[in-house]
Amino acid sequence: MQPAKIRSFSKRERLTRLLHFLKGYFVERDPNFGTAFAPALILASLLYQRSPFSNYIFDEQEALLANPYVNGKKLGWLAVFKRDFWGLPPDRTIGSYRPIPNLIWRSLWKISESPWLHHWVNIFIHAANAALLAALVFRLSGRRLQSWLSGGAFLGCAVLTETVTGVVGIADVLGGLGLLLALNAQPLSLRWMPPAVFLSTLLGLFCKESVLVAVPLVSWAALVTAPVLHPDRPHRAVRALGALTATVGALVVYTYFRRHFFPVKLPEDLRASLGEGHPLYRRILLDFLRWFKQPGLPSDPMNNPLAQADFPHRVAGALRVWWRGLCQMVFPWNLSGDYSFPQEPVPSRVVFPESVLGALSMVALPVSGLGAWIGALVAEHREPPSPVAGHLAVTLSWLALALVWVPVSYFPHSNIPILLPTIRAERFWYLPGIGTSLLVGGAAAALLERTAGARKTAAICVVCAFFSFQAGKARAHALDYTDDLTFWRAALHSAPNSAKAHLNYSVMVGARNRLEERLESNRRALELAPNWPMAHVYYGDTLCRMHRARQAWPHYRRGFELAPDNSSLIALGLQCLYSEHAVNTALEEELLGLARAHPGSWLDYLATDLVHNGKKHGGVEQKYRPRGYNEGPKE
């Protein structure tokens, strides 16, 4: 008896079978978390995976490599609650308290020190978030197409690439996870919903402090979705109150926990009291910030030029950034890892097209959301809502949630309520991306479902083109994370007016001993920011490393005078001068003159110490020298 022959399929047959399987998977299955997560993880891996040979890029240097909690030897596991996001103690913190990301990083550090492994956590959680969003939309709308498209819009949103591909984005994806879990708790009974919301919000807060937006947003979600998720007994007011109590409770627990284990000095700008002449909202905000006791945030005009603006111009600049980001969410023509000065300068006027459009959209979106909810209330009285039937009240309910979600979730990052260290970053759009994805998914589904005939084909082409464009931009931006040199080269091309991008690119090429190229990039950074101390010192440092110490000294001197208390910059320059044997009698006199001109400063101490003890220490004393590139923590 001869064995049966195994039939082999042609490539065309295999492709046909695959397409048939995919069509059946997405058309015939409900997009709950279980069915949505596997394809989401596959697509997220294809879009956002970076090279296994990638090194530490941008903030990853400080967040992982220089983090004494993640890779240090002296701190126990529980020290995570007494350290900030960067592993610094309360007296040296730069403002971010996020214990859970540090715990994850430290756990993975035991397995591998490669940033490639760490960024897979972001991919995994982002896929889970997209699956949770698809499941939520299906519960609200009862429509498979809209649910798959909403989850897909969030999964492949190109602006979110920085968050998913960059290791530091773990705080944002985990914060998003907390919020989406709180939203997915809304179908639970009144007994179990508040505890689930409390735990979800607490998880998010311990990952990123901006999850405090859960207080208004989850309560609003409970209010507008109750009739859809619980048509027999909505109890909308009770459910909203339960969600509000749970989120406020989580915020209180998080705040007092942080204040106990991570006590910080109240920033100077929060100590002064406001008089009765100030608006009530300003006094309420000040009282909240004092209670919340947010650690002081660094203020650097290079990273956030709005630090030097008065309040009206700061708001105008913030509204311009908001409008540009909102447009970028839909049409991500240009993506960059950096938008610092003078790429996003202080506006010269308060009223100009982008500030007006920003103000109108920031007001119009939540007002429209409120209007949609009122419309849903009217539609409810005409006919009970039914997700399966696609009732008008159902459409208006998720629309009300999405329209309010986008501006409210972005507002803490807007530079309007408080001044942030950064004027603009794509990771700020991770939480708002949940709301924009609801809108994009709903619009795409409506376009496909309401067209027929020849127009149907055109509609399919439009939707496919949009999602393909987003996915292509996401993949292209993820390739920027191939290594640090590629990242900053892409940044300076995408944001050509960013002095920081040019300077960091110069550091990367300098690390590869391409000093002429480093000098040219240094020069461009200095042209863009002539009053930036780092630009002067690094330009001088390039000349010094090219054995042109005499030409380097004027630039060093200018940088030292602009930043007499920046110990790292001063130590960097002094050490190179000493190594190049340029510290002669004449230079010693100039150094002592600078020291006398800035008494009590780091310039005073380091310059004087170099003159008197340089031979003893081999230049600057070792403990004051800046951490070298790709070096671990100094602590």
Side-chain angles (χ1 to χ4, degrees), residues 6-18:
I6 300 175
R7 182 189 171 190
S8 61
F9 295 95
S10 66
K11 291 183 179 179
R12 183 171 183 176
E13 287 176 318
R14 287 197 292 268
L15 179 60
T16 301
R17 288 166 67 89
L18 175 62

Side-chain angles (χ1 to χ4, degrees), residues 55-72 86 105 109 113 115 627-634:
N55 56 3
Y56 293 96
I57 297 172
F58 198 14
D59 287 343
E60 296 170 0
Q61 283 267 330
E62 298 296 327
L64 282 88
L65 197 60
N67 190 323
Y69 176 78
V70 171
N71 59 27
W86 314 95
W105 285 342
W109 196 267
E113 298 179 6
R627 183 177 61 85
Y629 185 69
N630 269 340
E631 284 185 3
K634 294 183 71 175

Side-chain angles (χ1 to χ4, degrees), residues 365-438:
L365 286 174
V367 170
S368 300
L370 181 61
W373 178 57
I374 294 173
L377 292 176
V378 174
E380 270 180 58
H381 287 289
R382 295 177 180 170
E383 183 183 351
S386 171
V388 177
H391 191 277
L392 177 61
V394 175
T395 300
L396 292 173
S397 294
W398 67 257
L399 198 57
L401 173 61
L403 290 170
V404 171
W405 185 283
V406 178
V408 172
S409 61
Y410 178 83
F411 194 68
H413 288 137
S414 67
N415 276 295
I416 295 176
I418 60 171
L419 193 68
L420 300 180
T422 306
I423 188 171
R424 181 179 176 186
E426 290 165 6
R427 64 182 178 275
F428 291 170
W429 283 91
Y430 194 81
L431 297 185
I434 296 171
T436 59
S437 298
L438 288 173

